[in-house]
Amino acid sequence: LEHTLFEVQRTASGYASRYAFCLLDDDCDGLIGLEEVVRYELFLPYSIPVLQHCYQHWHFVEIPGRMNSEDFLNFTQFAEDKTHRASQLFWFSCADIDGDGYIGRHDVRWLYDHVDKSGGCIPFQDLYVQLLDMTRASDKEAGISLADIRKSKLAGGVFGLLFNHNNLLLRRTTAEFSTRNDVPL
């Protein structure tokens, strides 16, 4: 039953994304750019620099820098559900700013500095330590590996904190981070 409910929600989300794509495609050429993507409500909480950075990591189906409806559907699904391996790989590649295979202190710092701080924010050191604790990073000096994130089963919470920590912490409870009984915060 739970799997069926998930599939129904995913299908409904897909329809909503396709409909939004049609509304965002002002010139009706079947392609949209970043300037249209930022208008979609799912991405409104993300800062422009963070969204630009993620957009640069996307593998476009047709034209680099322009999303067709399939690109947009996948992009929104990756943003909504970070439990799938492909989604986790995408978000990890976006968070690994220097490409060394780890989300280190400097990677987290770049993301922290580019997240909207309106409404207050937690201190950087608190955020970084929380991420290390959530993932139980195997090499705390190097940072967080993709394997650490997958092993923790907290990918949604980890990537939510990295890319949108202010909005996530202001609007969500810690129970939403976890699918297990132990709450990470």
Side-chain angles (χ1 to χ4, degrees):
L1 182 62
E2 196 172 307
H3 177 71
T4 303
L5 179 59
F6 175 77
E7 287 303 317
V8 168
Q9 289 172 332
R10 189 175 173 110
T11 300
S13 175
Y15 287 133
S17 293
R18 285 184 182 91
Y19 178 71
F21 179 86
C22 293
L23 295 176
L24 294 170
D25 185 15
D26 294 331
D27 59 3
C28 300
D29 67 349
L31 298 168
I32 61 173
L34 180 62
E35 59 279 358
E36 288 89 19
V37 172
V38 299
R39 293 184 355 226
Y40 186 50
E41 72 175 314
L42 177 64
F43 301 112
L44 289 177
Y46 291 81
S47 71
I48 299 297
V50 168
L51 203 51
Q52 286 172 328
H53 179 72
C54 295
Y55 199 78
Q56 291 169 351
H57 282 79
W58 189 255
H59 299 288
F60 298 94
V61 173
E62 290 182 29
I63 299 171
R66 306 285 290 164
M67 287 187 166
N68 64 16
S69 62
E70 182 182 340
D71 282 324
F72 186 71
L73 175 63
N74 289 328
F75 196 62
T76 58
Q77 285 178 343
F78 279 13
E80 290 173 343
D81 182 9
K82 296 172 180 77
T83 61
H84 293 290
R85 293 180 76 77
S87 174
Q88 292 170 359
L89 181 61
F90 170 71
W91 289 108
F92 184 85
S93 70
C94 293
D96 183 13
I97 306 294
D98 61 7
D100 67 353
Y102 290 92
I103 302 170
R105 178 178 294 278
H106 54 283
D107 300 321
V108 176
R109 185 69 189 187
W110 186 93
L111 291 165
Y112 180 87
D113 289 343
H114 289 87
V115 168
D116 178 24
K117 303 288 190 296
S118 61
C121 189
I122 65 170
F124 170 76
Q125 186 62 28
D126 291 349
L127 174 67
Y128 187 66
V129 169
Q130 182 61 52
L131 290 166
L132 290 174
D133 289 347
M134 287 173 70
T135 59
R136 295 183 177 106
S138 55
D139 184 351
K140 292 186 190 271
E141 288 301 313
I144 303 163
S145 69
L146 181 56
D148 294 333
I149 293 171
R150 288 180 173 161
K151 190 169 62 174
S152 76
K153 300 192 183 330
L154 296 172
V158 170
F159 292 126
L161 285 171
L162 284 167
F163 290 98
N164 195 13
H165 57 266
N166 197 40
N167 186 58
L168 187 74
L169 291 173
L170 288 173
R171 291 171 176 66
R172 304 223 173 148
T173 66
T174 57
E176 291 181 65
F177 288 145
S178 180
T179 57
R180 304 176 311 198
N181 290 330
D182 57 326
V183 180
L185 290 178

